[in-house]
Amino acid sequence: MWVPHYSDLAQPVYLMIADALEQDIGNGRLAPGDRLPTLKDLAESLHVTPGTIGRAYDEAAKRGLVVGEVGRGTFVLQQRPAPTPTAFSRPAPLKHESGQIDLSIIKPNDAHMADWLRGAITELAASPDLDQVLDYVTDGGHATHKQAGATWIQRWLPEARAQQVVLTSGAQHGLLVAISSLSKSDDVILCESLCYPGIISLAHSMGRRLRGVAMDEHGLMPEALRAACLEHRPSLLVCVTTHQNPTNSVMPHARREAIAQIAREFDLFIVDDDIYGFLEPAPDYKPLAAYAPERSVYLTSLSKSVLPALRIGYLYAPPQTLSRLSSMVRSSVWMPSPLMAQLASNLINSGMAEQLVRVQQEEAAARQVMAQEILGRYKVRSQPNSFHIWLELPEPWTSDEFANLARNNGVTVVSGSQFLPERSPASCGVRIALMTPSRAELSFALTKLASLLDSSEPRLFY
């Protein structure tokens, strides 16, 4: 097994491994086509985490030294000389630089993703599976794709069966399918008093009446849910119980159980929007749908955990709802892309999706530490490995005022007013996503935000 030799302790370990790999390829110790050790094997040999090895292989892939192939491993590439410029060559176009550091979108950090995806696409192109995913698909998707979705969901719902999986074109489409299928025009839908803006836009566009339910630091409050059920007689509750967007709350198990009981009492259906559940340790974690499986549609996807462009979502639903959900999928998009579903299935079945999740968890944990170091003197609501934080602003700041000021100073965050499902007093917080920029850019942006908060005369910054 190849083991790197390095001594420059001034560098991060993953860079030392990548440098050693480059040196060993250059001196012939490693030849084109050689298979590198698995993340686990090399991590155990060097006494580091598999995530560190993953970052090292990612760095090597960026340098054109290796390529990862899903299900096979990571291999040394043939090194090619730099191309000689010709009269017909032209420089690559310059990217437009807006000057903004965007902390507005919650998504995985893509520095680790491109090379893994390149290998997955290469393998799919050479696979006999390619032929079956180039045509229309009936019945909501191939059985193998549903089985892969069930495998993914079994991390949180161990009894999940492929027959109860409905494929969607991402989580937002999954929300559209669930809300359309389980409620009708002019129905009242409940959500948290601060909720994901996508729920707000969907509900309004479909003629549903959205009502917010009061929250505390642990998420939606059962007593407030009961009062809302008595007042509005809603048909549906859409709830994010884990790493809630935007407040980052994680609902305790006892509260999940209480909400499930209230749903039974009032014949209320639940959409358990669990796209951030992957950030919680699986053995200790039970989604809301586990407490009321007969009246819950569980929603997850790969776009937050693996790659935003991987627009495949999975609904796991009780049998009596499956025909309605599948019919709405056909009405809205006819079918999720079978090509995309096959790619997602390959990532899941090979274990690569699980590896990518661990890389993202480690990266998020490092960024949360950075955020606490820079903004910790303010009231920040976070989780140890969440992709975002919720910053509660000190007086006299308002959400819109601070978000506008931040943007004028080169940092984009999301005002708390964007998360209000009803007309209500303005929120006094902003959501800050941590995963998009490089660590250096993130540190710079957070320091800039802290300086704005510290200013006694913020108007001077406009």
Side-chain angles (χ1 to χ4, degrees), residues 46-81:
L46 298 178
H47 305 292
V48 298
T49 68
T52 298
I53 305 302
R55 293 190 69 193
Y57 284 1
D58 285 346
E59 176 64 26
K62 289 178 189 175
R63 301 181 191 181
L65 303 173
V66 301
V67 64
E69 297 184 14
V70 176
R72 295 190 61 222
T74 303
F75 297 85
V76 176
L77 285 173
Q78 176 72 46
Q79 302 305 298
R80 297 187 179 96

PDB file of all heavy atoms in Angstrom, residues 46-81:
ATOM      1  N   LEU A  46      -2.075   6.501   8.699  1.00  0.00           N
ATOM      2  CA  LEU A  46      -1.478   7.798   9.060  1.00  0.00           C
ATOM      3  C   LEU A  46      -2.054   8.370  10.353  1.00  0.00           C
ATOM      4  O   LEU A  46      -1.641   9.465  10.770  1.00  0.00           O
ATOM      5  CB  LEU A  46      -1.700   8.790   7.913  1.00  0.00           C
ATOM      6  CG  LEU A  46      -1.051   8.443   6.562  1.00  0.00           C
ATOM      7  CD1 LEU A  46      -1.398   9.484   5.523  1.00  0.00           C
ATOM      8  CD2 LEU A  46       0.458   8.311   6.709  1.00  0.00           C
ATOM      9  N   HIS A  47      -3.043   7.673  10.940  1.00  0.00           N
ATOM     10  CA  HIS A  47      -3.665   8.132  12.182  1.00  0.00           C
ATOM     11  C   HIS A  47      -4.336   9.509  12.007  1.00  0.00           C
ATOM     12  O   HIS A  47      -4.177  10.409  12.824  1.00  0.00           O
ATOM     13  CB  HIS A  47      -2.640   8.201  13.325  1.00  0.00           C
ATOM     14  CG  HIS A  47      -1.921   6.904  13.556  1.00  0.00           C
ATOM     15  ND1 HIS A  47      -2.546   5.782  14.055  1.00  0.00           N
ATOM     16  CD2 HIS A  47      -0.627   6.548  13.309  1.00  0.00           C
ATOM     17  CE1 HIS A  47      -1.672   4.792  14.126  1.00  0.00           C
ATOM     18  NE2 HIS A  47      -0.500   5.228  13.665  1.00  0.00           N
ATOM     19  N   VAL A  48      -5.070   9.636  10.897  1.00  0.00           N
ATOM     20  CA  VAL A  48      -5.871  10.846  10.645  1.00  0.00           C
ATOM     21  C   VAL A  48      -7.288  10.389  10.306  1.00  0.00           C
ATOM     22  O   VAL A  48      -7.586   9.190  10.281  1.00  0.00           O
ATOM     23  CB  VAL A  48      -5.273  11.686   9.484  1.00  0.00           C
ATOM     24  CG1 VAL A  48      -3.887  12.173   9.833  1.00  0.00           C
ATOM     25  CG2 VAL A  48      -5.264  10.888   8.183  1.00  0.00           C
ATOM     26  N   THR A  49      -8.184  11.342  10.036  1.00  0.00           N
ATOM     27  CA  THR A  49      -9.563  10.991   9.701  1.00  0.00           C
ATOM     28  C   THR A  49      -9.691  10.691   8.205  1.00  0.00           C
ATOM     29  O   THR A  49      -8.907  11.213   7.387  1.00  0.00           O
ATOM     30  CB  THR A  49     -10.529  12.127  10.054  1.00  0.00           C
ATOM     31  OG1 THR A  49     -10.271  13.245   9.190  1.00  0.00           O
ATOM     32  CG2 THR A  49     -10.374  12.548  11.507  1.00  0.00           C
ATOM     33  N   PRO A  50     -10.695   9.879   7.813  1.00  0.00           N
ATOM     34  CA  PRO A  50     -10.939   9.670   6.378  1.00  0.00           C
ATOM     35  C   PRO A  50     -11.228  10.966   5.631  1.00  0.00           C
ATOM     36  O   PRO A  50     -10.900  11.099   4.454  1.00  0.00           O
ATOM     37  CB  PRO A  50     -12.159   8.732   6.360  1.00  0.00           C
ATOM     38  CG  PRO A  50     -12.090   8.001   7.667  1.00  0.00           C
ATOM     39  CD  PRO A  50     -11.542   9.009   8.646  1.00  0.00           C
ATOM     40  N   GLY A  51     -11.843  11.947   6.325  1.00  0.00           N
ATOM     41  CA  GLY A  51     -12.102  13.232   5.684  1.00  0.00           C
ATOM     42  C   GLY A  51     -10.822  13.936   5.261  1.00  0.00           C
ATOM     43  O   GLY A  51     -10.781  14.609   4.222  1.00  0.00           O
ATOM     44  N   THR A  52      -9.763  13.810   6.079  1.00  0.00           N
ATOM     45  CA  THR A  52      -8.471  14.414   5.725  1.00  0.00           C
ATOM     46  C   THR A  52      -7.914  13.772   4.456  1.00  0.00           C
ATOM     47  O   THR A  52      -7.413  14.462   3.555  1.00  0.00           O
ATOM     48  CB  THR A  52      -7.475  14.247   6.881  1.00  0.00           C
ATOM     49  OG1 THR A  52      -7.978  14.936   8.030  1.00  0.00           O
ATOM     50  CG2 THR A  52      -6.113  14.812   6.511  1.00  0.00           C
ATOM     51  N   ILE A  53      -8.020  12.447   4.364  1.00  0.00           N
ATOM     52  CA  ILE A  53      -7.548  11.759   3.152  1.00  0.00           C
ATOM     53  C   ILE A  53      -8.394  12.179   1.950  1.00  0.00           C
ATOM     54  O   ILE A  53      -7.880  12.381   0.847  1.00  0.00           O
ATOM     55  CB  ILE A  53      -7.587  10.233   3.341  1.00  0.00           C
ATOM     56  CG1 ILE A  53      -6.800   9.826   4.592  1.00  0.00           C
ATOM     57  CG2 ILE A  53      -7.033   9.539   2.108  1.00  0.00           C
ATOM     58  CD1 ILE A  53      -5.359  10.260   4.593  1.00  0.00           C
ATOM     59  N   GLY A  54      -9.709  12.311   2.173  1.00  0.00           N
ATOM     60  CA  GLY A  54     -10.581  12.755   1.087  1.00  0.00           C
ATOM     61  C   GLY A  54     -10.182  14.123   0.566  1.00  0.00           C
ATOM     62  O   GLY A  54     -10.161  14.359  -0.652  1.00  0.00           O
ATOM     63  N   ARG A  55      -9.855  15.039   1.480  1.00  0.00           N
ATOM     64  CA  ARG A  55      -9.417  16.378   1.046  1.00  0.00           C
ATOM     65  C   ARG A  55      -8.094  16.299   0.283  1.00  0.00           C
ATOM     66  O   ARG A  55      -7.883  17.030  -0.696  1.00  0.00           O
ATOM     67  CB  ARG A  55      -9.270  17.300   2.250  1.00  0.00           C
ATOM     68  CG  ARG A  55     -10.579  17.645   2.945  1.00  0.00           C
ATOM     69  CD  ARG A  55     -10.391  18.733   3.963  1.00  0.00           C
ATOM     70  NE  ARG A  55     -10.103  20.009   3.328  1.00  0.00           N
ATOM     71  CZ  ARG A  55      -9.659  21.088   3.964  1.00  0.00           C
ATOM     72  NH1 ARG A  55      -9.443  21.039   5.257  1.00  0.00           N
ATOM     73  NH2 ARG A  55      -9.433  22.200   3.319  1.00  0.00           N
ATOM     74  N   ALA A  56      -7.201  15.413   0.738  1.00  0.00           N
ATOM     75  CA  ALA A  56      -5.923  15.264   0.040  1.00  0.00           C
ATOM     76  C   ALA A  56      -6.139  14.744  -1.383  1.00  0.00           C
ATOM     77  O   ALA A  56      -5.541  15.250  -2.343  1.00  0.00           O
ATOM     78  CB  ALA A  56      -5.016  14.322   0.824  1.00  0.00           C
ATOM     79  N   TYR A  57      -7.008  13.742  -1.528  1.00  0.00           N
ATOM     80  CA  TYR A  57      -7.284  13.208  -2.867  1.00  0.00           C
ATOM     81  C   TYR A  57      -7.993  14.248  -3.735  1.00  0.00           C
ATOM     82  O   TYR A  57      -7.763  14.333  -4.948  1.00  0.00           O
ATOM     83  CB  TYR A  57      -8.133  11.954  -2.759  1.00  0.00           C
ATOM     84  CG  TYR A  57      -7.374  10.708  -2.304  1.00  0.00           C
ATOM     85  CD1 TYR A  57      -6.010  10.763  -2.002  1.00  0.00           C
ATOM     86  CD2 TYR A  57      -8.023   9.482  -2.184  1.00  0.00           C
ATOM     87  CE1 TYR A  57      -5.329   9.634  -1.590  1.00  0.00           C
ATOM     88  CE2 TYR A  57      -7.342   8.335  -1.782  1.00  0.00           C
ATOM     89  CZ  TYR A  57      -5.995   8.416  -1.477  1.00  0.00           C
ATOM     90  OH  TYR A  57      -5.317   7.293  -1.081  1.00  0.00           O
ATOM     91  N   ASP A  58      -8.881  15.044  -3.114  1.00  0.00           N
ATOM     92  CA  ASP A  58      -9.527  16.129  -3.867  1.00  0.00           C
ATOM     93  C   ASP A  58      -8.487  17.119  -4.397  1.00  0.00           C
ATOM     94  O   ASP A  58      -8.552  17.561  -5.548  1.00  0.00           O
ATOM     95  CB  ASP A  58     -10.524  16.883  -2.968  1.00  0.00           C
ATOM     96  CG  ASP A  58     -11.797  16.102  -2.743  1.00  0.00           C
ATOM     97  OD1 ASP A  58     -12.027  15.118  -3.467  1.00  0.00           O
ATOM     98  OD2 ASP A  58     -12.563  16.480  -1.847  1.00  0.00           O
ATOM     99  N   GLU A  59      -7.545  17.474  -3.525  1.00  0.00           N
ATOM    100  CA  GLU A  59      -6.499  18.419  -3.934  1.00  0.00           C
ATOM    101  C   GLU A  59      -5.659  17.825  -5.061  1.00  0.00           C
ATOM    102  O   GLU A  59      -5.317  18.517  -6.032  1.00  0.00           O
ATOM    103  CB  GLU A  59      -5.616  18.753  -2.725  1.00  0.00           C
ATOM    104  CG  GLU A  59      -4.424  19.655  -3.027  1.00  0.00           C
ATOM    105  CD  GLU A  59      -4.835  21.046  -3.499  1.00  0.00           C
ATOM    106  OE1 GLU A  59      -5.943  21.503  -3.142  1.00  0.00           O
ATOM    107  OE2 GLU A  59      -4.040  21.678  -4.232  1.00  0.00           O
ATOM    108  N   ALA A  60      -5.340  16.536  -4.951  1.00  0.00           N
ATOM    109  CA  ALA A  60      -4.564  15.880  -6.005  1.00  0.00           C
ATOM    110  C   ALA A  60      -5.340  15.839  -7.315  1.00  0.00           C
ATOM    111  O   ALA A  60      -4.774  16.008  -8.399  1.00  0.00           O
ATOM    112  CB  ALA A  60      -4.180  14.468  -5.567  1.00  0.00           C
ATOM    113  N   ALA A  61      -6.655  15.634  -7.225  1.00  0.00           N
ATOM    114  CA  ALA A  61      -7.481  15.617  -8.436  1.00  0.00           C
ATOM    115  C   ALA A  61      -7.500  16.987  -9.094  1.00  0.00           C
ATOM    116  O   ALA A  61      -7.488  17.101 -10.330  1.00  0.00           O
ATOM    117  CB  ALA A  61      -8.897  15.153  -8.099  1.00  0.00           C
ATOM    118  N   LYS A  62      -7.550  18.057  -8.275  1.00  0.00           N
ATOM    119  CA  LYS A  62      -7.522  19.416  -8.839  1.00  0.00           C
ATOM    120  C   LYS A  62      -6.220  19.668  -9.608  1.00  0.00           C
ATOM    121  O   LYS A  62      -6.203  20.422 -10.576  1.00  0.00           O
ATOM    122  CB  LYS A  62      -7.652  20.447  -7.718  1.00  0.00           C
ATOM    123  CG  LYS A  62      -9.025  20.516  -7.083  1.00  0.00           C
ATOM    124  CD  LYS A  62      -9.017  21.541  -5.967  1.00  0.00           C
ATOM    125  CE  LYS A  62     -10.292  21.504  -5.166  1.00  0.00           C
ATOM    126  NZ  LYS A  62     -10.248  22.404  -4.006  1.00  0.00           N
ATOM    127  N   ARG A  63      -5.141  19.044  -9.154  1.00  0.00           N
ATOM    128  CA  ARG A  63      -3.846  19.216  -9.833  1.00  0.00           C
ATOM    129  C   ARG A  63      -3.716  18.300 -11.050  1.00  0.00           C
ATOM    130  O   ARG A  63      -2.672  18.297 -11.713  1.00  0.00           O
ATOM    131  CB  ARG A  63      -2.707  18.930  -8.853  1.00  0.00           C
ATOM    132  CG  ARG A  63      -2.708  19.812  -7.618  1.00  0.00           C
ATOM    133  CD  ARG A  63      -1.527  19.468  -6.706  1.00  0.00           C
ATOM    134  NE  ARG A  63      -1.632  20.113  -5.405  1.00  0.00           N
ATOM    135  CZ  ARG A  63      -0.733  19.996  -4.427  1.00  0.00           C
ATOM    136  NH1 ARG A  63       0.362  19.259  -4.634  1.00  0.00           N
ATOM    137  NH2 ARG A  63      -0.916  20.600  -3.266  1.00  0.00           N
ATOM    138  N   GLY A  64      -4.752  17.498 -11.323  1.00  0.00           N
ATOM    139  CA  GLY A  64      -4.702  16.598 -12.465  1.00  0.00           C
ATOM    140  C   GLY A  64      -3.861  15.367 -12.238  1.00  0.00           C
ATOM    141  O   GLY A  64      -3.409  14.727 -13.200  1.00  0.00           O
ATOM    142  N   LEU A  65      -3.659  14.991 -10.964  1.00  0.00           N
ATOM    143  CA  LEU A  65      -2.795  13.854 -10.649  1.00  0.00           C
ATOM    144  C   LEU A  65      -3.559  12.544 -10.572  1.00  0.00           C
ATOM    145  O   LEU A  65      -3.012  11.483 -10.893  1.00  0.00           O
ATOM    146  CB  LEU A  65      -2.086  14.094  -9.300  1.00  0.00           C
ATOM    147  CG  LEU A  65      -1.249  15.367  -9.184  1.00  0.00           C
ATOM    148  CD1 LEU A  65      -0.762  15.542  -7.762  1.00  0.00           C
ATOM    149  CD2 LEU A  65      -0.071  15.303 -10.152  1.00  0.00           C
ATOM    150  N   VAL A  66      -4.807  12.586 -10.111  1.00  0.00           N
ATOM    151  CA  VAL A  66      -5.576  11.363  -9.889  1.00  0.00           C
ATOM    152  C   VAL A  66      -7.004  11.581 -10.345  1.00  0.00           C
ATOM    153  O   VAL A  66      -7.445  12.710 -10.587  1.00  0.00           O
ATOM    154  CB  VAL A  66      -5.566  10.949  -8.392  1.00  0.00           C
ATOM    155  CG1 VAL A  66      -4.146  10.723  -7.893  1.00  0.00           C
ATOM    156  CG2 VAL A  66      -6.278  11.994  -7.535  1.00  0.00           C
ATOM    157  N   VAL A  67      -7.762  10.465 -10.414  1.00  0.00           N
ATOM    158  CA  VAL A  67      -9.188  10.539 -10.710  1.00  0.00           C
ATOM    159  C   VAL A  67      -9.889   9.514  -9.828  1.00  0.00           C
ATOM    160  O   VAL A  67      -9.373   8.410  -9.609  1.00  0.00           O
ATOM    161  CB  VAL A  67      -9.489  10.275 -12.202  1.00  0.00           C
ATOM    162  CG1 VAL A  67      -9.103   8.868 -12.613  1.00  0.00           C
ATOM    163  CG2 VAL A  67     -10.974  10.517 -12.503  1.00  0.00           C
ATOM    164  N   GLY A  68     -11.042   9.900  -9.278  1.00  0.00           N
ATOM    165  CA  GLY A  68     -11.840   8.980  -8.481  1.00  0.00           C
ATOM    166  C   GLY A  68     -12.920   8.338  -9.334  1.00  0.00           C
ATOM    167  O   GLY A  68     -13.581   9.015 -10.127  1.00  0.00           O
ATOM    168  N   GLU A  69     -13.079   7.037  -9.204  1.00  0.00           N
ATOM    169  CA  GLU A  69     -14.095   6.304  -9.955  1.00  0.00           C
ATOM    170  C   GLU A  69     -15.013   5.625  -8.953  1.00  0.00           C
ATOM    171  O   GLU A  69     -14.561   4.812  -8.126  1.00  0.00           O
ATOM    172  CB  GLU A  69     -13.461   5.277 -10.886  1.00  0.00           C
ATOM    173  CG  GLU A  69     -12.574   5.919 -11.953  1.00  0.00           C
ATOM    174  CD  GLU A  69     -12.012   4.900 -12.932  1.00  0.00           C
ATOM    175  OE1 GLU A  69     -12.506   3.761 -12.941  1.00  0.00           O
ATOM    176  OE2 GLU A  69     -11.083   5.265 -13.672  1.00  0.00           O
ATOM    177  N   VAL A  70     -16.305   5.965  -8.999  1.00  0.00           N
ATOM    178  CA  VAL A  70     -17.258   5.453  -8.030  1.00  0.00           C
ATOM    179  C   VAL A  70     -17.273   3.934  -8.045  1.00  0.00           C
ATOM    180  O   VAL A  70     -17.390   3.306  -9.096  1.00  0.00           O
ATOM    181  CB  VAL A  70     -18.670   6.004  -8.335  1.00  0.00           C
ATOM    182  CG1 VAL A  70     -19.692   5.400  -7.376  1.00  0.00           C
ATOM    183  CG2 VAL A  70     -18.687   7.520  -8.214  1.00  0.00           C
ATOM    184  N   GLY A  71     -17.151   3.339  -6.864  1.00  0.00           N
ATOM    185  CA  GLY A  71     -17.204   1.892  -6.736  1.00  0.00           C
ATOM    186  C   GLY A  71     -15.882   1.197  -7.006  1.00  0.00           C
ATOM    187  O   GLY A  71     -15.744  -0.003  -6.740  1.00  0.00           O
ATOM    188  N   ARG A  72     -14.890   1.915  -7.549  1.00  0.00           N
ATOM    189  CA  ARG A  72     -13.596   1.285  -7.882  1.00  0.00           C
ATOM    190  C   ARG A  72     -12.462   1.853  -7.052  1.00  0.00           C
ATOM    191  O   ARG A  72     -11.610   1.127  -6.580  1.00  0.00           O
ATOM    192  CB  ARG A  72     -13.289   1.461  -9.372  1.00  0.00           C
ATOM    193  CG  ARG A  72     -14.273   0.738 -10.300  1.00  0.00           C
ATOM    194  CD  ARG A  72     -13.760   0.748 -11.733  1.00  0.00           C
ATOM    195  NE  ARG A  72     -12.486   0.063 -11.845  1.00  0.00           N
ATOM    196  CZ  ARG A  72     -11.456   0.494 -12.565  1.00  0.00           C
ATOM    197  NH1 ARG A  72     -11.540   1.626 -13.227  1.00  0.00           N
ATOM    198  NH2 ARG A  72     -10.332  -0.207 -12.632  1.00  0.00           N
ATOM    199  N   GLY A  73     -12.419   3.157  -6.872  1.00  0.00           N
ATOM    200  CA  GLY A  73     -11.346   3.746  -6.091  1.00  0.00           C
ATOM    201  C   GLY A  73     -10.761   4.976  -6.750  1.00  0.00           C
ATOM    202  O   GLY A  73     -11.372   5.586  -7.638  1.00  0.00           O
ATOM    203  N   THR A  74      -9.553   5.338  -6.338  1.00  0.00           N
ATOM    204  CA  THR A  74      -8.851   6.509  -6.857  1.00  0.00           C
ATOM    205  C   THR A  74      -7.578   6.041  -7.544  1.00  0.00           C
ATOM    206  O   THR A  74      -6.812   5.255  -6.973  1.00  0.00           O
ATOM    207  CB  THR A  74      -8.520   7.481  -5.712  1.00  0.00           C
ATOM    208  OG1 THR A  74      -9.738   7.837  -5.044  1.00  0.00           O
ATOM    209  CG2 THR A  74      -7.860   8.745  -6.247  1.00  0.00           C
ATOM    210  N   PHE A  75      -7.333   6.550  -8.770  1.00  0.00           N
ATOM    211  CA  PHE A  75      -6.248   6.047  -9.606  1.00  0.00           C
ATOM    212  C   PHE A  75      -5.354   7.187 -10.078  1.00  0.00           C
ATOM    213  O   PHE A  75      -5.817   8.316 -10.307  1.00  0.00           O
ATOM    214  CB  PHE A  75      -6.809   5.308 -10.834  1.00  0.00           C
ATOM    215  CG  PHE A  75      -7.614   4.085 -10.480  1.00  0.00           C
ATOM    216  CD1 PHE A  75      -8.954   4.195 -10.167  1.00  0.00           C
ATOM    217  CD2 PHE A  75      -7.007   2.839 -10.435  1.00  0.00           C
ATOM    218  CE1 PHE A  75      -9.701   3.076  -9.838  1.00  0.00           C
ATOM    219  CE2 PHE A  75      -7.745   1.711 -10.105  1.00  0.00           C
ATOM    220  CZ  PHE A  75      -9.095   1.825  -9.802  1.00  0.00           C
ATOM    221  N   VAL A  76      -4.075   6.859 -10.242  1.00  0.00           N
ATOM    222  CA  VAL A  76      -3.100   7.822 -10.751  1.00  0.00           C
ATOM    223  C   VAL A  76      -3.347   8.028 -12.247  1.00  0.00           C
ATOM    224  O   VAL A  76      -3.544   7.067 -13.000  1.00  0.00           O
ATOM    225  CB  VAL A  76      -1.670   7.319 -10.512  1.00  0.00           C
ATOM    226  CG1 VAL A  76      -0.645   8.278 -11.143  1.00  0.00           C
ATOM    227  CG2 VAL A  76      -1.409   7.157  -9.022  1.00  0.00           C
ATOM    228  N   LEU A  77      -3.335   9.284 -12.668  1.00  0.00           N
ATOM    229  CA  LEU A  77      -3.553   9.618 -14.072  1.00  0.00           C
ATOM    230  C   LEU A  77      -2.237   9.700 -14.834  1.00  0.00           C
ATOM    231  O   LEU A  77      -1.172   9.975 -14.256  1.00  0.00           O
ATOM    232  CB  LEU A  77      -4.275  10.967 -14.185  1.00  0.00           C
ATOM    233  CG  LEU A  77      -5.766  11.006 -13.857  1.00  0.00           C
ATOM    234  CD1 LEU A  77      -6.250  12.442 -13.872  1.00  0.00           C
ATOM    235  CD2 LEU A  77      -6.556  10.174 -14.858  1.00  0.00           C
ATOM    236  N   GLN A  78      -2.332   9.487 -16.144  1.00  0.00           N
ATOM    237  CA  GLN A  78      -1.206   9.740 -17.036  1.00  0.00           C
ATOM    238  C   GLN A  78      -0.955  11.247 -17.062  1.00  0.00           C
ATOM    239  O   GLN A  78      -1.874  12.036 -17.316  1.00  0.00           O
ATOM    240  CB  GLN A  78      -1.525   9.239 -18.443  1.00  0.00           C
ATOM    241  CG  GLN A  78      -0.442   9.534 -19.469  1.00  0.00           C
ATOM    242  CD  GLN A  78       0.783   8.665 -19.248  1.00  0.00           C
ATOM    243  OE1 GLN A  78       0.672   7.474 -19.040  1.00  0.00           O
ATOM    244  NE2 GLN A  78       1.958   9.280 -19.287  1.00  0.00           N
ATOM    245  N   GLN A  79       0.265  11.661 -16.778  1.00  0.00           N
ATOM    246  CA  GLN A  79       0.569  13.091 -16.765  1.00  0.00           C
ATOM    247  C   GLN A  79       0.845  13.572 -18.183  1.00  0.00           C
ATOM    248  O   GLN A  79       1.654  12.981 -18.919  1.00  0.00           O
ATOM    249  CB  GLN A  79       1.775  13.375 -15.866  1.00  0.00           C
ATOM    250  CG  GLN A  79       1.566  12.911 -14.433  1.00  0.00           C
ATOM    251  CD  GLN A  79       0.302  13.491 -13.829  1.00  0.00           C
ATOM    252  OE1 GLN A  79       0.185  14.702 -13.704  1.00  0.00           O
ATOM    253  NE2 GLN A  79      -0.650  12.633 -13.469  1.00  0.00           N
ATOM    254  N   ARG A  80       0.161  14.617 -18.563  1.00  0.00           N
ATOM    255  CA  ARG A  80       0.308  15.152 -19.920  1.00  0.00           C
ATOM    256  C   ARG A  80       1.070  16.469 -19.863  1.00  0.00           C
ATOM    257  O   ARG A  80       0.863  17.276 -18.953  1.00  0.00           O
ATOM    258  CB  ARG A  80      -1.063  15.412 -20.547  1.00  0.00           C
ATOM    259  CG  ARG A  80      -1.903  14.161 -20.725  1.00  0.00           C
ATOM    260  CD  ARG A  80      -3.159  14.494 -21.502  1.00  0.00           C
ATOM    261  NE  ARG A  80      -3.972  13.305 -21.711  1.00  0.00           N
ATOM    262  CZ  ARG A  80      -4.980  12.958 -20.946  1.00  0.00           C
ATOM    263  NH1 ARG A  80      -5.286  13.709 -19.907  1.00  0.00           N
ATOM    264  NH2 ARG A  80      -5.681  11.865 -21.200  1.00  0.00           N
ATOM    265  N   PRO A  81       1.934  16.730 -20.845  1.00  0.00           N
ATOM    266  CA  PRO A  81       2.617  18.027 -20.899  1.00  0.00           C
ATOM    267  C   PRO A  81       1.612  19.139 -21.179  1.00  0.00           C
ATOM    268  O   PRO A  81       0.568  18.904 -21.797  1.00  0.00           O
ATOM    269  CB  PRO A  81       3.609  17.872 -22.058  1.00  0.00           C
ATOM    270  CG  PRO A  81       3.023  16.783 -22.909  1.00  0.00           C
ATOM    271  CD  PRO A  81       2.324  15.849 -21.966  1.00  0.00           C
TER     272      PRO A  81
END
